[in-house]
Amino acid sequence: MRHKKIGRKFNRNSSHRKSMFKNMIISLINFEIIKTTLFKAKELRRFFEPLLNISKKNNLFNRRLLISKIGDKNVINKLFFILAPRFKNYKGGYLRILKCGFRKGDCAPMAYVEILNRNLD
């Protein structure tokens, strides 16, 4: 039984999972919409939303905390100066997950993950 075991493993070890979600978060912040499997999209929400909550308060401690978690300073700047002011009055629910069919090779359910109120430039 899996009582009190949170999170999916995706048949990967912990370092691979960590780097996979780190790369997905960087892509999501850069492009504001990505396409992935439905289960990865649902798990990505657990990693992304706390980072956006941290970025709402712009101070040195929060900036260093996000740099340790993400590592890319350009992405951190976009998170602090573009995305965080957009969600100043939101308490959560920053992502939208839209199902978009099945992958051709293995019939895995696919989904788009997008940040709410994104710019359509």
Side-chain angles (χ1 to χ4, degrees), residues 50-66:
L51 297 180
L52 194 54
N53 282 332
I54 292 170
S55 70
K56 285 183 180 180
K57 187 173 181 184
N58 189 3
N59 58 23
L60 185 61
F61 175 75
N62 288 346
R63 182 170 291 279
R64 286 180 176 168
L65 183 64
L66 289 182

Side-chain angles (χ1 to χ4, degrees), residues 66-121:
L66 289 182
I67 287 172
S68 71
K69 290 182 183 286
I70 296 175
D72 190 354
K73 291 186 181 180
N74 295 326
V75 171
I76 301 290
N77 286 333
K78 183 174 181 181
L79 193 59
F80 274 105
F81 297 118
I82 296 173
L83 295 180
R86 194 186 305 173
F87 297 108
K88 185 172 67 171
N89 297 324
Y90 284 59
K91 294 200 184 276
Y94 311 115
L95 296 180
R96 177 181 294 138
I97 297 174
L98 301 168
K99 295 179 184 178
C100 65
F102 298 93
R103 190 162 47 199
K104 189 173 182 180
D106 59 354
C107 206
M110 299 298 286
Y112 286 108
V113 181
E114 70 172 339
I115 299 175
L116 294 178
N117 303 331
R118 69 184 174 101
N119 296 331
L120 298 174
D121 296 343

Side-chain angles (χ1 to χ4, degrees), residues 3-31:
H3 296 301
K4 296 186 180 181
K5 299 199 185 310
I6 299 171
R8 296 174 176 92
K9 292 195 175 188
F10 298 114
N11 202 17
R12 291 167 169 81
N13 58 22
S14 61
S15 61
H16 188 182
R17 248 189 334 270
K18 183 179 175 184
S19 64
M20 178 182 69
F21 283 117
K22 180 178 167 183
N23 290 330
M24 288 174 72
I25 287 171
I26 290 172
S27 297
L28 183 63
I29 293 171
N30 280 333
F31 301 113

